[in-house]
Each structure stands twice: as structure tokens, then as C-alpha cells.
Amino acid sequence: MNGVSNTARILLRDDLRDFAGYRSARSEALQGSVWLNANESPSASPGDADGRLRRYPDPQPPALRDALAALYGLAPAQVLATRGSDEGIDLLLRAFCVPGRGAIVIAPPVFGMYAVCARLHGARVVEVPARDAGDGWRCDLAAMADAALRQHANLVFVCNPGNPTGEAIADADIALLAERLRGRALVVVDAAYAEFAGHDASAALLAAHENIVVLRTLSKAHALAGARIGCVLAASELVGMLQRCQAPYPLAQPAVQAALAALAPDAVARTRTSVARVRGERERLLGELQSAPGVRRAYPSQGNFLLLRFDDAQAAFDALLAAGVVVRDMRATPGLADALRISIGTPEQNQRVLASLAVARQAA
């Protein structure tokens, strides 16, 4: 089922059904030794020793697409390389939500870009809040499906693992959600932190459910946040729909080269080792913080971060900052007025976190 998405055919904006997008000079399959079709400079920039940067990049570099497809166990036609996963979110809104009339469903607290992109596009944001169950957060996927059907939402975003909650959602539950919404909505699984969960079902979910779309990124586990390389994984037909909505040259050549280096077999092996270290540190830090004075609750996490509630979040934030440790202040997020999110660092950095919080408690 890797080629056709009947749900995408149904939901694609009517005004985009015959839309071909912009065909750039690099879109043409032409051969030659003198390239004068893109109004590029005939001479190189002083900082461009081999002259490659004076040329526009390939819109979808085949080598990168092949490498991403191999990493995620899919066919290259099922992969759309993007400027981080943020661009994938934006493209989905453009293709499947009519401006001013579309709607999406989210489960806050969750990654803010779903709502930002929707609002910039004029789409309604339907919220089905996740529930704090004490020992972790729970998204109500059945209620999200109800809301999507009731509000005629074309996109349902499921962050798995959740950010900032750290929640991991079972594949079987996502499959049930997709089945219920088949022909009615696309289920967008944001798997930015999947490597840290130790289980990646992207390929299996896509093979069995034509209305599932998966977002991936090289920013987290592969340590390329500055390169801004992500991808959309979906049926090849849906990938084609999104590509027609994409900017002509979305990926900078230096970023593509960095991504290819990070996706070489030896680099991927090192990434797996690094991820295992982060997971080990995450569990060690969680164990320390769950019994730390002043920490009201430390939630289990399947990401590379921990979400914490404090008796005095301001004092904790100030103590960390005084020690040079910058964490994410979550207190402006509804339902998280006492919370901070702390990324997992090196063992030495994590020890500084623990020491800083101990100082905050002693000063209280």
C-alpha cells in the first residue's frame, strides 16, 4: 500500500487537484556541459572553492532520499525531504486544509508548531487535551477521532513520543485511530523522538494504513538540528501532492552533505550508541529527580527530555540559570503552570542539574 492514498485523494484541496506547482530549472531532466538555464553566476563566490554553491541544489537529492528511505525501511518514492519536520507540518496544512475553512485536531500540551501553522493558514485548531494520569500523560485517541469527525478536520496530529509529555502511544492504538478515520482524515504521527523510545514502527504503520503520514527529523538523535533536515514519510501519491506545494529549492547543499555524512553506516552505528547513552542517562536522572526535594513530579519519558513539576518552579528555574543551565520554561503552557522541561545532556551536565536543584531546595 506504499503508492496510493485514497484518503489523500479525497481530502486534497479541490483547487489543487490540477496544480502542478513551480517547475524549477533543476526539475528538468536535461544533460549538458554548459549550464545556462537558471540565471546562476558564471563565477564562484570567494568562499566556494569548488564552485558548487553557485549552482541551485537539486529539489529532492536522490542520494539523500535513498539514504532516508534505507534508514526508515521504505521506498524512496515514499520520502519527501524537508527543511526539518516543521516544513512537513506546513505542507500538510497547505495541501489538505482550505484556507479559512480547514481544521486540525491536537492533544495539548503538545508541540506548538501544529497550532502555529494552522493559525497562519486560517485553519481551526480543535483541542482534545491529554490527561495527566499521575504516572504519565495519556492522549485520548478515541476522543480525538470523535472530534475530527464532528468538526470535519482533515488532519489529526499525534506526537509520539509526546513533546513535552514524553508519552509513548502504542502502535495498535494509532492503527485503530487510522482505521476509524480512513477516508475522513489523515493521521499525522510526529515521530521526532522515536529513536529514544527504542521502537520505530513507521514502515509497518505506513504499509498497513494508507491515511497515516509520519514526520521524521535528523535534528534530535542524529545531532543535526542546525542543518534543518527532516522528511515526510507517506504513500508516494501523497508525497507527490506535498512536493507540488514545496518551495523550488528547499534544501541547501551544505546541509544535504552533512545529512549524507550522518546517514553513512558507521555514523548511524555511532548514533545508536549515542541514543543508548541518552536513554541510560534519562532513566538515571529520572530516578534521582523522582525523589528529589522540591520536585513535585518527574514524569517518565520516551524522549530525550524530562518534564518536571516543582513546588517552586521559579526558584528551580533561577537556580539552574545561575549555574549556567538553560532549560525550557513550560509555565505559560495551559496545565503546566509549575513545570520545566529539561533535555538530557552529558553525565556531567546532568549532575550540574541535580546539584543546582539541590541548591534551590536549600535556599527555599
Side-chain angles (χ1 to χ4, degrees):
M1 200 180 290
N2 63 12
V4 176
S5 174
N6 291 322
T7 302
R9 286 181 179 178
I10 294 168
L11 298 180
L12 181 67
R13 285 168 43 184
D14 288 339
D15 58 322
L16 295 184
R17 295 191 181 279
D18 297 323
F19 179 64
Y22 177 76
R23 290 196 60 79
S24 69
R26 289 293 175 267
S27 300
E28 307 296 336
L30 303 173
Q31 298 296 321
S33 57
V34 178
W35 291 85
L36 302 176
N37 67 333
N39 298 339
E40 298 155 328
S41 171
S43 56
S45 166
D48 181 18
D50 58 11
R52 289 195 305 167
L53 294 183
R54 72 186 180 91
R55 298 292 189 193
Y56 285 108
D58 191 308
Q60 287 291 303
L64 177 60
R65 248 178 140 175
D66 289 347
L68 290 168
L71 180 68
Y72 300 124
L74 298 168
Q78 292 177 271
V79 177
L80 181 70
T82 59
R83 289 168 289 185
S85 54
D86 294 340
E87 186 186 23
I89 297 166
D90 184 59
L91 291 173
L92 286 161
L93 264 294
R94 292 190 195 192
F96 296 105
C97 287
V98 175
R101 298 212 313 267
I104 70 168
V105 175
I106 61 173
V110 75
F111 184 43
M113 283 306 295
Y114 313 139
V116 167
C117 288
R119 286 175 176 143
L120 287 172
H121 196 67
R124 288 178 293 114
V125 178
V126 180
E127 296 185 350
V128 181
R131 179 173 60 89
D132 181 356
D135 60 342
W137 291 80
R138 302 288 183 271
C139 285
D140 189 339
L141 298 188
M144 293 177 76
D146 291 341
L149 295 171
R150 185 172 59 252
Q151 298 288 337
H152 304 288
N154 284 2
L155 301 172
V156 176
F157 285 92
V158 178
C159 196
N160 188 33
N163 171 23
T165 64
E167 176 194 12
I169 301 172
D171 300 337
D173 293 336
I174 294 175
L176 287 173
L177 175 65
E179 280 303 310
R180 187 170 174 201
L181 294 178
R182 185 185 293 270
R184 306 290 295 277
L186 295 173
V187 176
V188 184
V189 180
D190 186 347
Y193 300 94
E195 291 90 347
F196 301 100
H199 174 63
D200 182 358
S202 295
L205 286 170
L206 289 173
H209 305 281
E210 52 84 18
N211 61 328
I212 285 183
V213 180
V214 178
L215 303 177
R216 301 302 296 257
T217 181
L218 301 187
S219 294
K220 311 298 182 182
H222 295 272
L224 284 182
R228 308 307 303 130
I229 297 288
C231 60
V232 178
L233 310 178
S236 58
E237 182 180 31
L238 195 157
V239 166
M241 294 173 183
L242 298 182
Q243 190 171 0
R244 294 195 292 274
C245 299
Q246 196 174 32
Y249 305 108
L251 307 174
Q253 286 185 19
V256 171
Q257 293 307 309
L260 289 173
L263 295 175
D266 60 334
V268 171
R270 287 195 299 271
T271 293
R272 293 194 182 103
T273 300
S274 175
V275 166
R277 284 198 296 265
V278 170
R279 292 174 65 192
E281 277 296 293
R282 179 187 69 200
E283 298 313 307
R284 181 181 76 84
L285 196 59
L286 176 65
E288 296 273 4
L289 290 170
Q290 282 177 326
S291 58
V295 176
R296 183 176 301 155
R297 187 171 299 153
Y299 293 97
S301 172
Q302 290 299 304
N304 65 338
F305 55 84
L306 293 173
L307 181 67
L308 308 170
R309 291 190 185 274
F310 292 87
D311 292 335
D312 188 341
Q314 185 65 55
F317 186 81
D318 291 344
L320 288 163
L321 200 57
V325 179
V326 182
V327 301
R328 189 62 177 265
D329 189 347
M330 304 302 301
R331 288 175 292 167
T333 303
L336 296 178
D338 56 355
L340 304 176
R341 191 194 69 193
I342 301 178
S343 302
I344 306 301
T346 65
E348 295 76 18
Q349 291 167 343
N350 297 333
Q351 281 305 117
R352 189 187 295 191
V353 167
L354 293 170
S356 301
L357 294 178
V359 168
R361 180 58 180 168
Q362 291 167 4

